Structures are given as structure tokens and as C-alpha cells.
Amino acid sequence: MAFTATMLSWSVLEYGKRMGGEVGNARAAIRWATDYLLKAATQTPGKLYVGVGDPDADHRCWERPEDMDTPRAVYSVSKTNPGSDVAGETAAALAAASLVFRVTDRAYSRRLLAVAKTVMVFAMKYQGKYSDYLGSVVCPFYCSYSGYQDELLWGASWLFRATNDAFYLNYLKSLGANDNTDFFSWDNKFAGARVLLSRRVHVDNNMSFVQFQQQAEDFMCRILPNNPSSTTQYTPGGLMYKQSSANLQYATSISFLLFTYSKYIASSKHSFTCGNLLFTASSLRSLAKKQVDYILGENPLKMSYMVGFGARFPQKIHHRAASLPSLATYPGHIGCQAGFQYLDSSSPNPNILTGAVVGGPDQNDAFTDDRKDFSHAEPATYINAPLVGSLAYLVGSYGNG
């Protein structure tokens, strides 16, 4: 959820003026998350709450939110059980959101930034992976596969953007985080931090950030097809393909970086090479637009992977509230085990989760609309959040047609 909040905030900061009347809804969604994150960070001194609910118990039930009766245990990190990854991401979310609310709600913005600083100090001072300490509570669901250096870089990058405090700049440069990557996701933030920091070069003309610009361009070269540095697979229909489970999370998050870096380099009239091939802002925009168009239905199946959008979209998504009858149609209690008849049903979901983007097709552009196939049919906020910025960019670039 912290990554979702950070990406929504970044979307508003870059493209809020292109969102029209929707910018208020974007701010409301961010505040919903940051209100929760503030509570998680301040409820108990010395603790950051990072999860609610026993995941194994939750997965043994299929029930509506209104009927949920599984254990609501809470899990936290602390100086004796550190979690620099989850704390760094929480700090990033609060700092990014503080910029969103700086004009519309200054008191809230100041509170967000103050708590972001405290959480970031905790992330820096007590270093460790949260999944080392919370084990089965977060694994295999949300293990920290990439470690926590990326979140330290990401959190410090956002705090530097929000404060201009040299303390964060010095910390960024001390990290020596040189891992090359062709991923960007809720777990791996290296590429996002480097694109964010490269803004200083292209927009502010500050050459002391050129190291991050070079790393951002190394990432772009690994993503762009048909160049000697490319390490990214594409489906026959042209979709970026990174992993078999919830692959669209990578397509949406990487597309956001492509659009945003294209915006930065367009402002400085910059281009770069991958091997002997030249790439420009329009090269990045073209690839990102192709990904968004694919998600919305320009693909071999003519399937929109956004629920409720287009002539054809997934009807049996892996989502409890969508798949179970609503309280209006079935006011009685549906118990933990009784709900599985709806998971197992071959009927379309009775409730349309409008706007949700699912995990998406396989590496051959095939998609089985099967509620039990969670790796392809499950929606997630961290798939949707980066797409918001990309769609706003495209609205502003191509009009509303």
C-alpha cells in the first residue's frame, strides 16, 4: 500500500494538471492511504505497523469484507526487529504525499513530512529486511526479494525532493547502490529512484546527479527492445514480459518511468545511446504508449485487462467482493468456507470492480479468464497506481479522444 501511495503521489506531482476533475479523486485516494500510514507510524513509539491479518488464515477463507471474521493480528517492525525496506517505502509515501498536499492542505503536508523524516531515520538506523523478522507472515506473499538498499535509496530520494536537505543528498551518495536492474515494482525501487533523481539533471541542470542519470539510462537500455543492451522479453503481441505472476504490474510501473523520463529529457532536449543506437524522448513515449494500449485492448485477444473498460474484459477476476453476491442481493451471512462455492463457480462475477487491472496474459498473449488463476486474474493496487500517471500523461498529450 505504501508503494501504491508513492506512485499515486508521483502521478499527481507529474501529471496532476492533466487529470482535470479527477485530481481531487487522486488526492482523496492518496489521503486514504497516508492517513493509515500515519497511524501505522505513530500509534506506538518505536514501532511501525506493517501488516494486519494472518495471511494463512485469510487465504483459508473466501468471504465478503462485510462478513470477515478471520484473526486481525497486527505485525510491526522495531529497532530489535528492523524493516528498512518497509520503513523506507513508508517514508517515501509520506514524503511524496507531503508534496501533493503542500498547496491544498499545508498543515497535513507538514505532518506527513515530519513523520516521513522520523520513519526514514528509523529505516537508516536499524537496518534489516522485514521478511527476515516476520517470516511466514509476509512470505511467500510479499517477501523482500530485492533487499532494502533500494528502499533506502527511494526513501532518501523522496525526502530530498521534499526538503532539499543536503543530509539526504549525502546519504544518497553514501549508499553506493550500483545494482543494475531491468525491474521496477513494489519490491525493487532502484530504477524509480534513479529516474526521480535524474530530474535534477534535466529539469534543474544540476550535473552533480549525472551518476543517477547514467543509471536511469542503463535501465532504459535494458527495457527498450532491439538494442544490444536489452534484457527484456516481449510477447508476440508486444507486451513487456517480466514474470509469470501479475506481469502487468511491471508493464504499468515501467511504462510510468518511460513516460516520466521522456518528459524529463524532452525538457532538456537530451537523447542517449544504447550501444550504437540513438534513443529520444519519443522512443520512450512510443514504447510506453504501446504498453498502455495493449492493456486497454490493443492486443491479439482484443481483451481489455481493465475491468469494466472496453467491449471485452475479464469477467471472473480473483477478488472476493467481486465474486460473492452483494449484501443487497444476499443479506444473510456467508461463512468462511461457504464462500468457496463462489470461488469455484464458472459463472461471471456478479459485481463489476470497475477500473481494476488484473495480472494479465502469459508470455504468448494467452489469457484464461479463470477466478482460481490468481497469478493472471487477480487485480492489485500496485498494478493500478502507476497506470494512473501514464493515462493522465496520455490524456494531456492526445486530448480526450
Side-chain angles (χ1 to χ4, degrees):
M1 190 170 77
F3 176 72
T4 295
T6 309
M7 293 308 298
L8 278 177
S9 294
W10 197 0
S11 298
V12 170
L13 293 172
E14 296 290 349
Y15 309 114
K17 289 178 180 169
R18 300 178 178 214
M19 291 181 181
E22 289 300 313
V23 72
N25 289 329
R27 283 197 205 102
I30 293 163
R31 189 188 284 258
W32 188 93
T34 52
D35 280 351
Y36 179 89
L37 296 172
L38 284 172
K39 203 181 292 184
T42 60
Q43 193 72 25
T44 307
K47 281 189 176 181
L48 171 66
Y49 291 96
V50 299
V52 178
D54 178 322
D56 290 310
D58 283 355
H59 280 81
R60 286 195 292 271
C61 286
W62 193 263
E63 55 191 343
R64 300 179 294 199
E66 298 89 346
D67 292 332
M68 275 185 76
D69 50 11
T70 48
R72 296 292 90 200
V74 293
Y75 304 97
S76 62
V77 293
S78 63
K79 65 181 181 181
T80 51
N81 294 309
S84 300
D85 36 24
V86 71
E89 180 59 84
T90 302
L94 296 172
S98 78
L99 290 164
V100 170
F101 292 102
R102 190 164 277 180
V103 173
T104 57
D105 190 337
R106 296 191 68 169
Y108 189 63
S109 172
R110 284 194 295 269
R111 181 161 184 246
L112 289 167
L113 187 55
V115 176
K117 290 176 180 176
T118 303
V119 176
M120 192 64 207
V121 166
F122 169 78
M124 293 157 59
K125 191 171 180 183
Y126 306 108
Q127 294 192 11
K129 265 187 359 177
Y130 89 135
S131 45
D132 285 348
Y133 299 97
L134 290 172
S136 62
V137 174
V138 294
C139 293
F141 313 102
Y142 293 106
C143 290
S144 186
Y145 297 104
S146 69
Y148 58 82
Q149 286 288 317
D150 56 314
E151 278 87 10
L152 291 176
L153 183 70
W154 180 241
S157 300
W158 276 109
L159 274 155
F160 183 57
R161 171 84 183 265
T163 64
N164 273 323
D165 188 331
F167 169 77
Y168 297 109
L169 175 59
N170 294 333
Y171 184 72
L172 284 168
K173 296 198 168 175
S174 75
L175 279 172
N178 294 317
D179 308 49
N180 293 322
T181 183
D182 59 1
F183 272 83
F184 177 50
S185 70
W186 62 264
D187 182 44
N188 190 327
K189 318 291 179 6
F190 282 120
R194 289 158 182 168
V195 168
L196 179 66
L197 292 167
S198 69
R199 183 179 184 274
R200 299 274 175 168
V201 176
H202 300 298
V203 178
D204 302 333
N205 199 30
N206 186 335
M207 290 303 125
S208 68
F209 288 83
V210 77
Q211 160 202 350
F212 301 109
Q213 174 205 333
Q214 290 166 348
Q215 290 174 326
E217 288 173 6
D218 174 83
F219 169 76
M220 298 296 162
C221 291
R222 290 165 186 268
I223 299 302
L224 288 156
N226 307 317
N227 83 80
S229 307
S230 182
T231 55
T232 301
Q233 181 184 347
Y234 286 81
T235 70
L239 176 69
M240 228 175 260
Y241 190 79
K242 289 292 180 186
Q243 283 192 354
S244 59
S245 185
N247 177 62
L248 286 187
Q249 67 176 298
Y250 307 108
T252 62
S253 56
I254 291 171
S255 293
F256 179 92
L257 293 188
L258 289 165
F259 278 130
T260 303
Y261 197 66
S262 79
K263 180 186 168 192
Y264 295 166
I265 65 174
S267 70
S268 62
K269 299 183 171 53
H270 173 77
S271 56
F272 61 95
T273 57
C274 303
N276 59 353
L277 296 173
L278 182 73
F279 291 96
T280 63
S282 67
S283 314
L284 304 185
R285 284 196 300 267
S286 174
L287 175 59
K289 183 176 183 293
K290 186 169 186 178
Q291 302 308 300
V292 174
D293 288 345
Y294 184 108
I295 291 166
L296 296 179
E298 288 189 21
N299 56 59
L301 295 181
K302 301 290 182 255
M303 166 78 79
S304 163
Y305 292 102
M306 179 184 281
V307 177
F309 182 82
R312 186 177 181 216
F313 54 84
Q315 302 293 314
K316 292 178 262 186
I317 66 170
H318 181 91
H319 186 273
R320 287 162 174 76
S323 67
L324 286 145
S326 68
L327 283 178
T329 59
Y330 190 97
H333 181 83
I334 301 174
C336 177
Q337 294 301 308
F340 279 106
Q341 64 183 297
Y342 301 100
L343 173 67
D344 297 337
S345 166
S346 59
S347 300
N349 288 345
N351 309 308
I352 305 295
L353 190 62
T354 304
V357 181
V358 297
D362 67 15
Q363 69 269 34
N364 299 311
D365 300 302
F367 179 76
T368 306
D369 194 0
D370 178 359
R371 198 175 293 114
K372 294 170 91 167
D373 181 9
F374 62 86
S375 65
H376 298 103
E378 185 173 18
T381 58
Y382 51 80
I383 303 176
N384 267 75
L387 187 60
V388 170
S390 295
L391 291 171
Y393 175 87
L394 290 167
V395 166
S397 301
Y398 297 94
N400 294 313

